[in-house]
Amino acid sequence: MTNTESLHVLIAGGGLSGLALAQGLLKDGHTCEVFERDADDSRKIGYYLHMNADGGEALRRCLPEDLFELSAETSRRTYDRRESIVLDDQLNELSSQPHLGPPNEGERPHTGVHRRTLRSILRARLGESFHPGKAVTGYEETPSGVSVTLADGTTAQGDVLVGADGIRSAVRRQRLPGTTVIDAGVRGLGVFGRTPLTPELAAQLPPHLFEGVLIAADRKGSRLLISVYRPRQRPEDAAAAIAPDVVLEPVDDYVMISCSVAPGTVIPPAAEWTAGTPAMLRDAMLGAIEGWHPTARALVGGVDLDSIFVIPFGFLSPAPPWEPSRVTLIGDAAHAMLPTLGLGANLALRDAAHLLNQLSAAARGEVGLVAAIGIYEQEMRDYVYPFMRMTMDHDRQFGGGALTEREQHDDAAVG
């Protein structure tokens, strides 16, 4: 980089977008500090993530070449169809639609990733720039920079503060105090798990279950999300060959599922789970898909009980435009949306890459720093807000509309 003045950027939150931005800043010759609330990296943080060209190209921009290659080689084998697909309860195809986002073609298109593997790649080589167990609780802007306050009472100073601290963002609460989180609870899909893709199960799966991201639905309101993860290379083998200093944990082939539960099932908060809760949820999922195709029941019945977790859905309404400053937002802190179209992670990574471009342009003297942040923010709103609204009408947008038709049938039956 030929800039005359590098930036020191403070990042609140060590999720995918915050880590991607940190990688990009270091790549472009800046310095940064990432303050991550969680001290424990071993907790369950999800499994399969859909990746489109927005997310994939953002990773290419932010990561060093070898780490990008590692992320691509540990991604799922290329889809036969880059579409979202709706099935009935006997796993017959009802409708399909190309994935949302820019064109994603070529010999090695961007495909789904194992979230924990990707996070480990994004976390690699950050060294002392990464501060686990340190939550940003507030900030103060000064004429020449930003000072953040951490939960332990200490402070840190930088040129810019980026709130990448998720849907409950402390940075957004101060920056855009009128923004509210809309809690949607656990909907038709919200209980997630991972079913080992053994040779026996793989032989049982109809071929089209390997072709894309699928949702099966019956006429009673029950649904089952199916996403196969078989990487191009085993993570540990790819790391050894491409970036030997990066340690990736082994990941066996699996199918990520998310399934409805039987009506009346009470799902306790995570803090109140007992040793028997995962088995109860598995049985409740099986109850919701009584009479479905045997393969669907095998996917749910074979779920690894230790892998089950619940996501209570929440989202933000698009915030009206705001005046730019040295404090900005990316990812869920800016535009948390319902996850059912697989766009959240992709748009968060895209934010990181586009903000990086503007910060580096400012560092080169091509535009003022606050003006550069304003350019990023306006472009983000223009691009992301339409997708936010689309996720609020998920059934019409996913897989060509068959989910809407089945819901309308349900309503007619009830009436």
Side-chain angles (χ1 to χ4, degrees):
M1 191 172 170
T2 59
N3 62 302
T4 57
E5 184 178 350
S6 66
L7 297 170
H8 184 61
V9 179
L10 308 177
I11 302 171
L16 300 183
S17 61
L19 294 176
L21 177 60
Q23 289 282 355
L25 289 165
L26 297 178
K27 179 180 177 181
D28 277 15
H30 306 291
T31 59
C32 65
E33 293 180 87
V34 181
F35 300 101
E36 164 55 31
R37 176 189 60 207
D38 244 337
D40 181 9
D41 254 2
S42 66
R43 66 187 178 92
K44 297 174 184 175
I45 54 172
Y47 305 121
Y48 184 87
L49 275 178
H50 169 64
M51 192 64 57
N52 65 18
D54 275 332
E57 290 304 308
L59 290 174
R60 190 193 306 274
R61 169 66 181 94
C62 292
L63 287 172
E65 185 175 349
D66 61 339
L67 293 187
F68 172 74
E69 181 68 14
L70 184 56
S71 72
E73 282 302 300
T74 54
S75 297
R76 169 187 163 149
R77 299 178 198 173
T78 301
Y79 303 103
D80 293 324
R81 298 162 60 184
R82 285 181 284 288
E83 298 177 312
S84 54
I85 302 166
V86 178
L87 311 175
D88 67 14
D89 54 6
Q90 300 308 309
L91 305 184
N92 301 303
E93 183 172 330
L94 298 176
S95 66
S96 64
Q97 180 172 293
H99 287 312
L100 298 171
N104 185 23
E105 304 300 332
E107 293 183 6
R108 192 180 63 179
H110 305 293
T111 62
V113 300
H114 183 60
R115 183 186 186 108
R116 200 170 162 82
T117 297
L118 177 59
R119 191 176 188 282
S120 295
I121 294 169
L122 290 169
R123 172 74 176 79
R125 303 174 186 160
L126 292 184
E128 294 184 358
S129 297
F130 183 78
H131 305 287
K134 298 273 191 179
V136 172
T137 59
Y139 66 84
E140 180 180 357
E141 292 188 65
T142 67
S144 60
V146 184
S147 174
V148 300
T149 301
L150 306 176
D152 61 5
T154 59
T155 61
Q157 285 71 42
D159 297 301
V160 175
L161 168 62
V162 179
D165 46 346
I167 189 171
R168 309 284 175 182
S169 169
V171 176
R172 188 192 65 246
R173 187 165 56 245
Q174 184 174 343
R175 183 73 181 85
L176 301 175
T179 307
T180 57
V181 176
I182 301 168
D183 289 307
V186 177
R187 296 191 165 189
L189 299 176
V191 180
F192 287 81
R194 189 168 77 176
T195 301
L197 187 59
T198 62
E200 295 76 18
L201 180 60
Q204 185 179 343
L205 295 187
H208 61 280
L209 296 194
F210 293 94
E211 291 179 350
V213 179
L214 310 98
I215 293 180
D218 63 17
R219 295 193 180 278
K220 300 176 183 177
S222 293
R223 297 183 178 186
L224 173 63
L225 171 71
I226 302 168
S227 298
V228 173
Y229 176 74
R230 294 186 298 175
R232 291 167 173 143
Q233 286 191 58
R234 296 284 174 201
E236 65 274 27
D237 296 338
I242 299 168
D245 62 313
V246 178
V247 177
L248 298 180
E249 63 188 17
V251 182
D252 293 328
D253 296 351
Y254 65 83
V255 183
M256 188 181 78
I257 62 165
S258 178
C259 190
S260 303
V261 294
T265 302
V266 177
I267 301 176
E272 298 176 13
W273 282 29
T274 68
T277 299
M280 180 275 289
L281 291 174
R282 176 203 56 201
D283 294 344
M285 290 189 283
L286 285 170
I289 60 170
E290 185 71 35
W292 281 41
H293 190 284
T295 296
R297 295 186 59 78
L299 286 169
V300 174
V303 68
D304 177 0
L305 294 180
D306 289 337
S307 75
I308 292 177
F309 68 99
V310 171
I311 298 178
F313 292 158
F315 59 96
L316 302 173
S317 292
W322 59 89
E323 285 296 316
S325 75
R326 289 175 177 262
V327 180
T328 191
L329 304 166
I330 62 174
D332 282 354
H335 47 69
M337 62 188 71
L338 293 173
T340 41
L341 289 178
L343 296 176
N346 289 282
L347 294 173
L349 291 169
R350 182 184 186 276
D351 287 348
H354 280 247
L355 178 58
L356 172 65
N357 287 340
Q358 291 301 325
L359 293 177
S360 290
R364 292 190 298 267
E366 297 169 9
V367 62
L369 180 57
V370 173
I373 291 172
I375 292 169
Y376 151 73
E377 291 175 339
Q378 186 57 54
E379 195 276 341
M380 177 268 291
R381 289 188 291 260
D382 290 344
Y383 190 82
V384 174
Y385 280 9
F387 287 122
M388 291 180 75
R389 297 184 179 98
M390 290 174 72
T391 63
M392 297 176 193
D393 190 16
H394 166 263
D395 288 5
R396 196 176 307 280
Q397 303 298 336
F398 184 94
L403 288 173
T404 298
E405 296 167 10
R406 293 178 87 71
E407 281 293 335
Q408 289 171 345
H409 182 278
D410 297 344
D411 292 342
V414 171

